[in-house]
Amino acid sequence: NAGVTQTPKFRVLKTGQSMTLLCAQDMNHEYMYWYRQDPGMGLRLIHYSVGEGTTAKGEVPDGYNVSRLKKQNFLLGLESAAPSQTSVYFCASSYRETRETQYFGPGTRLLVL
Amino acid sequence: EDQVTQSPEALRLQEGESSSLNCSYTVSGLRGLFWYRQDPGKGPEFLFTLYSAGEEKEKERLKATLTKKESFLHITAPKPEDSATYLCAVQSRGSTLGRLYFGRGTQLTVWP
């Protein structure tokens, strides 16, 4: 039981390049989330999904897109990376949305030059 | 607007020196308050969930308590391996489905 895994662990992009971050969970959770963590700030929600085929915007969605084609996977895409998107990205999942613990992956460190 | 404030930002303790971390919150109806531990370069690791004022939970040297306005994470006789950043998050009745509001964390260093 691996829990929540994220790929890749680290990536360097040039401004304007695109990439996709992959999150996978093997706990059969319905809900999945993408957060970003920046120095001096709390984790902030980018997008989330309440089930296969559904996605919704969080607090800071601009510049990102997501897809949830399979229940166990949640993809975060950057179509045209900007230096402001340099951050550490965490994926999380939970069984339900209310009062349920969210379990986090190990993170993807992204540097945009 | 829902807010979470953690204090202090950083705390240095000698091994065995007990202390408390604070998480104060302002939410439109609390659904749950969550404590996580985060080691450098890793994802947050779940510690506790508290749902109502007066509730307490313990795990090894850690004890979390909850009032209507704040939560405390008490660390008794800490060891160097307790060094980490401790994150507090709340889920409110008025928030987007499942969304957690995180504080900025308290960086704890325990020296031998």
Side-chain angles (χ1 to χ4, degrees):
Chain A
N1 191 344
V4 180
T5 58
Q6 294 183 233
T7 309
K9 288 188 173 64
F10 177 69
R11 184 78 182 267
V12 179
L13 289 179
K14 294 181 180 178
T15 297
Q17 287 185 320
S18 64
M19 78 163 294
T20 300
L21 284 66
L22 171 64
C23 174
Q25 53 92 6
D26 62 1
M27 297 176 282
N28 201 34
H29 285 169
E30 288 293 334
Y31 295 79
M32 297 187 75
Y33 312 84
W34 276 107
Y35 291 88
R36 61 178 288 173
Q37 186 175 44
D38 301 294
M41 302 186 74
L43 285 149
R44 293 180 293 169
L45 183 66
I46 305 171
H47 285 281
Y48 64 98
S49 168
V50 301
E52 183 178 320
T54 73
T55 63
K57 294 180 180 180
E59 180 185 4
V60 288
D62 294 341
Y64 305 95
N65 56 75
V66 287
S67 64
R68 182 107 179 262
L69 299 179
K70 294 183 179 180
K71 184 177 182 178
Q72 63 268 32
N73 296 337
F74 195 26
L75 278 62
L76 178 71
L78 287 73
E79 291 187 347
S80 179
S84 61
Q85 294 178 304
T86 293
S87 187
V88 182
Y89 293 87
F90 290 101
C91 176
S93 70
S94 65
Y95 180 58
R96 296 174 304 183
E97 87 286 6
T98 303
R99 297 162 63 97
E100 287 283 336
T101 299
Q102 292 183 18
Y103 294 92
F104 284 79
T108 294
R109 189 173 298 272
L110 176 65
L111 175 61
V112 183
L113 301 175
Chain B
E1 182 178 308
D2 297 340
Q3 288 189 330
V4 179
T5 303
Q6 291 188 247
S7 62
E9 289 185 11
L11 181 63
R12 286 177 55 86
L13 298 174
Q14 189 170 14
E15 185 172 4
E17 179 186 1
S18 301
S19 187
S20 297
L21 282 55
N22 177 262
C23 171
S24 62
Y25 61 90
T26 305
V27 296
S28 53
L30 181 71
R31 278 184 171 158
L33 186 141
F34 301 80
W35 282 98
Y36 287 86
R37 169 191 171 128
Q38 187 174 24
D39 293 300
K42 297 192 176 181
E45 175 187 346
F46 170 72
L47 292 173
F48 303 108
T49 307
L50 302 167
Y51 295 110
S52 57
E55 191 174 359
E56 299 182 352
K57 289 191 177 175
E58 288 188 66
K59 179 180 178 181
E60 295 180 356
R61 295 177 292 282
L62 300 177
K63 179 180 178 181
T65 62
L66 181 65
T67 73
K68 289 185 178 180
K69 296 292 184 184
E70 59 191 349
S71 176
F72 292 93
L73 185 65
H74 307 278
I75 303 177
T76 302
K79 298 181 178 182
E81 52 262 43
D82 294 322
S83 297
T85 296
Y86 290 85
L87 304 175
C88 170
V90 298
Q91 189 180 69
S92 79
R93 297 186 190 281
S95 69
T96 303
L97 286 176
R99 180 187 168 181
L100 293 178
Y101 290 86
F102 279 87
R104 297 180 181 182
T106 293
Q107 185 174 9
L108 174 66
T109 303
V110 182
W111 49 284

